[in-house]
């Protein structure tokens, strides 16, 4: 499986780690798992680590994912910090996701380092 999801930390947040090729179906499965964990941990904070992700999905797939967030009533109070040291590799897709989420009222931000991401996530 090219992704893992778990509850982490105190205060609690959902951590998603992606690696290798991540298909559109993988994204949907990760979203469902993250939602269940968020309910279990009573959190709306998410950290997505894309450090070892190569790709496997398109901007259209990311748009579909954002549409599912809205359709499933994901609270706009959620925060998602995305860590990718190599923002240049998939920059167009990541910037699209960040901007599209922000345009819909979701707080999503890209970071190159985990420490910066966590600082923002809990600010």
């Amino acid at each position: 499986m090219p992704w893992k999801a778990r509850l982490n930390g105190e205060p609690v947040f959902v951590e998603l780690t992606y690696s290798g090729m991540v298909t559109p179906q993988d994204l949907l499965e990760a979203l469902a798992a993250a939602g269940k964990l968020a309910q279990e941990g009573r959190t709306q904070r998410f950290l997505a680590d894309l450090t070892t992700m190569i790709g496997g999905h398109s901007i259209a797939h990311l748009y579909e994912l954002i549409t599912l967030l809205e359709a499933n009533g994901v609270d706009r109070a959620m925060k998602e910090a995305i860590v990718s040291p190599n923002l240049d590799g998939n920059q167009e897709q990541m910037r699209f996701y960040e901007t599209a989420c922000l345009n819909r009222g979701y707080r999503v931000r890209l970071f190159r380092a985990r420490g910066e991401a966590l600082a923002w996530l809990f600010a």
Side-chain angles (χ1 to χ4, degrees):
M1 179 170 10
W3 61 269
K4 294 179 186 173
R6 67 184 178 119
L7 287 174
N8 196 356
E10 186 58 46
V12 174
F13 63 98
V14 175
E15 183 168 2
L16 289 158
T17 305
Y18 297 93
S19 61
M21 296 299 283
V22 180
T23 68
Q25 184 61 38
D26 293 329
L27 288 175
L28 295 176
E29 291 170 5
L31 175 66
K36 287 179 184 175
L37 287 171
Q39 287 179 342
E40 180 184 321
R42 296 185 176 162
T43 186
Q44 294 186 37
R45 289 184 170 94
F46 301 84
L47 177 74
D49 185 343
L50 281 54
T51 304
T52 61
M53 186 180 81
I54 296 170
H57 51 275
S58 68
I59 286 177
H61 296 125
L62 294 174
Y63 180 79
E64 184 179 323
L65 188 69
I66 296 164
T67 301
L68 283 173
L69 294 176
E70 290 184 305
N72 287 308
V74 172
D75 192 330
R76 285 177 169 71
M78 68 83 87
K79 279 179 99 171
E80 181 181 19
I82 301 170
V83 179
S84 181
N86 183 16
L87 285 176
D88 302 329
N90 294 311
Q91 185 173 15
E92 182 181 3
Q93 287 180 340
M94 288 187 281
R95 293 287 178 209
F96 170 82
Y97 180 76
E98 178 185 49
T99 301
C101 284
L102 291 170
N103 287 344
R104 286 163 181 78
Y106 296 109
R107 297 179 297 167
V108 174
R109 191 159 166 203
L110 301 173
F111 297 91
R112 291 187 186 269
R114 181 182 176 88
E116 294 171 357
L118 287 171
W120 175 81
L121 197 58
F122 292 103

